[in-house]
Amino acid sequence: MLSLVFIGLLCSVGVSSYGLHTDLCSSSSSHTTDASEYGIQWQQSYGTNRGYGARYEGPQPIGDCDNDGENEVIIGGRDAMLRIIEWDASEQTYHETYQLRCPFYPWVEMDADGFAIGDLTGDGENEIAVSWYATIHKWVNGDYKIIGWNPWVEWHGGGNPDCYIGDCDNDGRNELIVSCRDWRREVPEIVVFEWNGHFLVKGADWNDPGINGEVFMAGLGDPDGDGDNEIVLGSGDKVVLLNWNKQTEQFEPTILQDDPASNWEHHPFACVCRDSDGDGVDEIHVSYYSPRMTIFEWNGEEYEVKFEREWPGEGVLIEGLDVGDVDDDGKAEVCAGTDVVHILEWDGTTYVEEAVLPTFGDLAVVCIGDCDNDGKNELNVGSVDIDAGQEFMEWIFKYGWNDS
């Protein structure tokens, strides 16, 4: 564990053994607060090997996955396993308690590209969904068991970069929403699986017409306030909202943004639907490779850009995006991870930067949740790419944390 004093030191000298940039604690916003208000509650190095150490994002990685009433944190990456860590209140740290593997391990080793915690089977208990073969792991009799999987995407020549558990057809039951990309052949950009009581079965899909898109982290929420959930995703250079039509039993797309001339730099990666301005309606937060972030809001007739921010010269902004109250002030913050983590809050007029956390490497992991079960959120951060002399890292930041 590192103390607040150490983070304050990073901000003052702008350098560490991992090669922090000299401008990490600076900001163009005059509202920026001292990053030393956030302490590193836990950290773990995964070494320098890119084929092993890189960390991947899962959109729902913090939750009660063994149904004991306390949250766990699941961590995935290129090491072909999903790690489960739990807070030890007596030792005031986190311990790795379990490792999950794909259904065909050790004959097949697959990375945990995406993962989620939620009640997919409708029994009132949570499961863990992992992108490898759309596999469902459940805590049964003191261990995690594979209760279902469906290789439809892989068997049709595609891959599963991510997955999300939620009710996307508004029938009162959760589905598994899988974000897809092609490997050998073109596959639909979104594939939805359902639990039929015994098996995981394919229920629906959406294929982006005319292109072979790559969806990295789709989101789910009610951004138009109509009481029904919609899926939001980035496909090609478009930001697309999918609304389920119960009569036709198909997804109806609405294009929020299309920039065909942007090439790869403005490809949308993470789509997060949460209320970040406190008005009771979800906004749509989208990250781009460039690095750039756009926040869309429903104005009653259409979606418009509410806020946009770019951080030239910093690391890419890919899946490292989340919304939640990270400083225990009762207000949600928007946390965007390039090679540092920008924390922004709505002030009634715009989003102002409150703090910049000194991290390094391209951050595919930025997620918010109560990791230590004290009723307050922490911020989980991890790197998917690094520079020479750096190590692949995972951090848990906590506001007000001081190990002294």
Side-chain angles (χ1 to χ4, degrees):
M1 290 183 290
L2 298 181
S3 67
L4 300 177
V5 175
F6 181 66
I7 291 187
L9 181 62
L10 290 179
C11 292
S12 64
V13 301
V15 66
S16 79
S17 60
Y18 297 108
L20 288 170
H21 300 307
T22 56
D23 62 346
L24 289 188
C25 297
S26 67
S27 171
S28 60
S29 170
S30 60
H31 192 73
T32 300
T33 59
D34 189 352
S36 67
E37 296 180 19
Y38 293 85
I40 298 178
Q41 191 182 41
W42 176 84
Q43 66 174 352
Q44 176 69 44
S45 169
Y46 294 91
T48 60
N49 186 335
R50 295 179 185 276
Y52 178 89
R55 299 298 92 196
Y56 285 147
E57 171 69 289
Q60 298 160 305
I62 301 170
D64 183 7
C65 57
D66 61 3
N67 300 291
D68 65 349
E70 294 189 345
N71 288 337
E72 289 78 36
V73 182
I74 51 179
I75 297 174
R78 290 197 190 129
D79 44 12
M81 71 179 72
L82 190 66
R83 304 167 187 265
I84 300 175
I85 68 170
E86 302 183 40
W87 175 251
D88 187 324
S90 62
E91 296 186 12
Q92 292 287 285
T93 190
Y94 294 87
H95 295 298
E96 183 178 306
T97 54
Y98 293 93
Q99 296 177 355
L100 307 184
R101 301 282 191 173
C102 85
F104 302 116
Y105 180 84
W107 299 279
V108 176
E109 294 191 7
M110 293 188 71
D111 296 338
D113 294 345
F115 35 89
I117 299 172
D119 181 10
L120 184 61
T121 62
D123 65 351
E125 296 185 346
N126 287 332
E127 292 83 33
I128 298 174
V130 191
S131 57
W132 50 47
Y133 299 107
T135 301
I136 310 304
H137 302 257
K138 188 177 184 65
W139 180 259
V140 180
N141 296 326
D143 201 359
Y144 290 96
K145 309 292 186 183
I146 292 177
I147 64 168
W149 59 285
N150 193 313
W152 189 93
V153 175
E154 287 87 353
W155 285 359
H156 283 76
N160 300 344
D162 225 323
C163 60
Y164 192 102
I165 297 174
D167 184 6
C168 63
D169 61 3
N170 302 290
D171 64 350
R173 299 187 300 270
N174 287 336
E175 292 80 37
L176 181 63
I177 305 161
V178 176
S179 306
C180 303
R181 65 183 300 183
D182 71 296
W183 287 118
R184 300 184 307 275
R185 298 189 301 275
E186 182 178 352
V187 294
E189 280 71 18
I190 293 290
V191 175
V192 177
F193 295 98
E194 302 174 349
W195 183 256
N196 69 359
H198 304 281
F199 306 103
L200 195 66
V201 297
K202 180 177 176 292
D205 62 53
W206 178 75
N207 193 17
D208 195 352
I211 73 163
N212 191 8
E214 297 177 308
V215 180
F216 290 99
M217 185 173 153
L220 182 75
D222 182 14
D224 60 2
D226 66 350
D228 287 339
N229 288 330
E230 291 84 31
I231 299 173
V232 183
L233 61 116
S235 175
D237 297 309
K238 300 191 296 293
V239 179
V240 184
L241 180 142
L242 299 181
N243 190 8
W244 179 255
N245 187 315
K246 293 182 180 180
Q247 282 69 46
T248 63
E249 295 189 335
Q250 293 181 335
F251 288 110
E252 297 179 344
T254 299
I255 298 176
L256 277 61
Q257 177 178 284
D258 188 4
D259 187 7
S262 69
N263 297 320
W264 185 253
E265 284 193 357
H266 288 181
H267 183 92
F269 273 75
C271 297
V272 179
C273 298
R274 290 200 181 95
D275 180 13
S276 61
D277 64 2
D279 66 350
V281 179
D282 292 339
E283 284 74 43
I284 298 172
H285 311 77
V286 181
S287 63
Y288 307 84
Y289 192 87
S290 41
R292 177 169 60 97
M293 176 184 69
T294 303
I295 301 177
F296 298 91
E297 185 174 55
W298 178 251
N299 64 13
E301 297 181 356
E302 61 182 1
Y303 291 95
E304 61 183 7
V305 175
K306 179 184 182 73
F307 178 82
E308 190 167 53
R309 178 77 181 272
E310 190 165 4
W311 292 278
E314 296 188 2
V316 296
L317 179 53
I318 43 178
E319 292 102 331
L321 183 69
D322 205 359
V323 176
D325 183 6
V326 292
D327 60 5
D328 197 36
D329 65 351
K331 300 178 182 179
E333 284 79 36
V334 179
C335 298
T338 56
D339 53 344
V340 296
V341 180
H342 298 271
I343 301 177
L344 301 93
E345 184 178 288
W346 179 253
D347 70 351
T349 303
T350 188
Y351 292 87
V352 295
E353 194 164 86
E354 293 189 323
V356 179
L357 301 187
T359 53
F360 56 87
D362 293 330
L363 305 176
V365 182
V366 173
C367 50
I368 300 167
D370 185 5
C371 304
D372 61 7
N373 300 287
D374 68 345
K376 301 176 182 180
N377 287 332
E378 288 75 46
L379 182 62
N380 182 27
V381 181
S383 52
V384 72
D385 199 8
I386 54 174
D387 294 330
Q390 297 177 342
E391 298 178 13
F392 292 99
M393 295 292 296
E394 189 101 15
W395 300 272
I396 295 180
F397 289 88
K398 187 175 184 65
Y399 185 80
W401 177 259
N402 189 333
D403 63 8
S404 61

